[in-house]
């Protein structure tokens, strides 16, 4: 049965797409499962890094299963399928832990958008990326024209979305979209994740928030989160909470 599985080993979480018979294409249930797993990861303080992987070797993910959305009405397609996927992919992009997409095979459409929602990507030499939505009469709907536009040059994105071209691993690496091309992308990702385990988790989390705020990725929430973290460590916050609990006027020390 298709699904998205979560495992945690030595402080590294793995989110694994498991629908190899359909090249790991997303079903509606898989979208929900991914969102639930991301919520679970965010609540666990022991996780230092997240790998997004896929079953099999042929494809990382070829997007959304056409049979999952092909019969939806225009309203259902826009209101639920597109918005649900967009919300979950935004959740992945804004995860407080660093994320690595392990592109063991082709990443098309929603699969490419999933990889783009991760912080970095490692890719197999024979894998390709593309946006084939126009070949089935639709357009990218899970941030392909938005988040990808910040990661790839405009002409390259147009090559894929308007002309249907696929981009190979070496070119994707030259463009900076892929961190590393590896015969064993999972092993390379494990090595990178191993380095994260030895870093300060709070420093990594705050650095990611600062970078995202600078890039415009959920800027408002990131700025408020950073400000809230700073004030939460202050004596003023301690005094304010204590005064409220004791029903007295606070005397803020200002530090």
């Amino acid at each position: 049965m298709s699904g998205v599985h979560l495992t945690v080993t030595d402080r590294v979480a793995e989110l694994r797409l498991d629908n190899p018979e359909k090249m790991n294409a997303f079903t509606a249930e898989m979208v929900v499962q991914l969102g639930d797993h991301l919520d679970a990861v965010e609540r666990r303080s022991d996780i230092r890094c997240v790998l997004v992987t896929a079953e099999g070797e042929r494809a990382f993910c070829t997007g959304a299963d056409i049979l999952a959305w092909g019969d939806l009405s225009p309203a259902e397609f826009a209101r639920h399928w597109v918005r649900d996927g967009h919300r979950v992919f935004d959740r992945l992009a804004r995860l407080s832990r660093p994320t690595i997409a392990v592109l063991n095979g082709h990443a098309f459409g929603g699969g490419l958008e999933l990889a783009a929602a991760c912080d970095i990507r490692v890719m197999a030499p024979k894998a390709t990326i593309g946006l084939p939505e126009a070949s089935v009469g639709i357009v990218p709907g899970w941030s392909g024209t938005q988040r990808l536009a910040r990661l790839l040059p405009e002409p390259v994105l147009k090559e894929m979305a308007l002309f249907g071209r696929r981009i190979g691993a070496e070119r994707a690496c030259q463009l900076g979209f892929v961190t590393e091309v590896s015969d064993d992308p999972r092993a390379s990702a494990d090595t990178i994740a191993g380095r994260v385990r030895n870093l300060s988790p709070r420093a990594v989390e705050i650095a990611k928030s600062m970078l995202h705020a600078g890039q415009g990725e959920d800027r408002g929430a990131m700025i408020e989160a950073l400000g809230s973290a700073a004030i939460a460590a202050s004596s003023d916050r301690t005094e304010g909470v204590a005064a409220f609990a004791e029903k007295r006027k606070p005397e803020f020390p200002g530090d």
Side-chain angles (χ1 to χ4, degrees):
M1 175 178 278
S2 62
V4 180
H5 309 297
L6 169 64
T7 57
V8 180
T9 305
D10 196 16
R11 296 183 290 180
V12 175
E14 178 184 2
L15 293 167
R16 179 169 54 87
L17 307 183
D18 186 4
N19 190 13
E21 291 185 1
K22 293 194 174 183
M23 299 181 73
N24 296 313
F26 270 99
T27 64
E29 183 180 5
M30 289 172 67
V31 173
V32 173
Q33 290 174 346
L34 177 59
D36 290 343
H37 289 325
L38 290 170
D39 288 342
V41 168
E42 195 66 85
R43 289 192 294 267
R44 290 186 56 164
S45 61
D46 60 314
I47 293 175
R48 297 290 186 264
C49 187
V50 178
L51 306 183
V52 179
T53 69
E55 190 68 30
E57 297 181 356
R58 186 181 177 191
F60 171 68
C61 176
T62 55
D65 183 354
I66 294 177
L67 297 181
W69 57 262
D71 292 332
L72 297 177
S73 70
E76 290 175 324
F77 182 68
R79 291 174 184 168
H80 302 298
W81 182 257
V82 173
R83 288 186 179 180
D84 288 349
H86 213 289
R87 183 174 61 252
V88 171
F89 281 25
D90 283 350
R91 186 76 179 89
L92 172 61
R94 296 163 187 172
L95 199 68
S96 64
R97 317 309 151 75
T99 55
I100 307 170
V102 183
L103 305 184
N104 54 302
H106 305 306
F108 302 147
L112 177 55
E113 292 166 318
L114 177 69
C118 295
D119 294 315
I120 63 173
R121 290 147 289 278
V122 180
M123 193 170 179
K126 294 183 179 180
T128 61
I129 60 176
L131 293 172
E133 283 85 350
S135 66
V136 290
I138 61 171
V139 295
W142 289 347
S143 76
T145 62
Q146 308 301 311
R147 185 172 292 112
L148 269 172
R150 298 196 295 269
L151 299 173
L152 287 168
E154 181 182 345
V156 175
L157 194 55
K158 286 180 176 179
E159 279 186 67
M160 292 190 290
L162 307 185
F163 297 93
R165 289 195 66 182
R166 296 183 184 181
I167 304 299
E170 290 298 336
R171 188 177 179 204
C173 191
Q174 291 169 1
L175 291 166
F177 182 71
V178 171
T179 298
E180 183 178 339
V181 177
S182 171
D183 290 327
D184 190 342
R186 175 56 192 270
S188 296
D190 284 338
T191 298
I192 297 171
R195 299 191 191 107
V196 177
R197 284 196 294 264
N198 298 320
L199 302 176
S200 161
R202 284 294 289 156
V204 170
E205 178 180 349
I206 292 173
K208 179 171 178 175
S209 296
M210 293 169 66
L211 289 167
H212 277 195
Q215 296 166 355
E217 180 73 64
D218 200 27
R219 179 174 292 160
M222 291 299 177
I223 290 173
E224 291 187 352
L226 291 170
S228 297
I231 199 66
S234 72
S235 298
D236 279 0
R237 182 254 194 180
T238 302
E239 170 60 13
V241 172
F244 178 84
E246 297 166 9
K247 299 181 179 180
R248 59 175 174 80
K249 183 179 179 179
E251 298 182 4
F252 294 115
D255 55 16

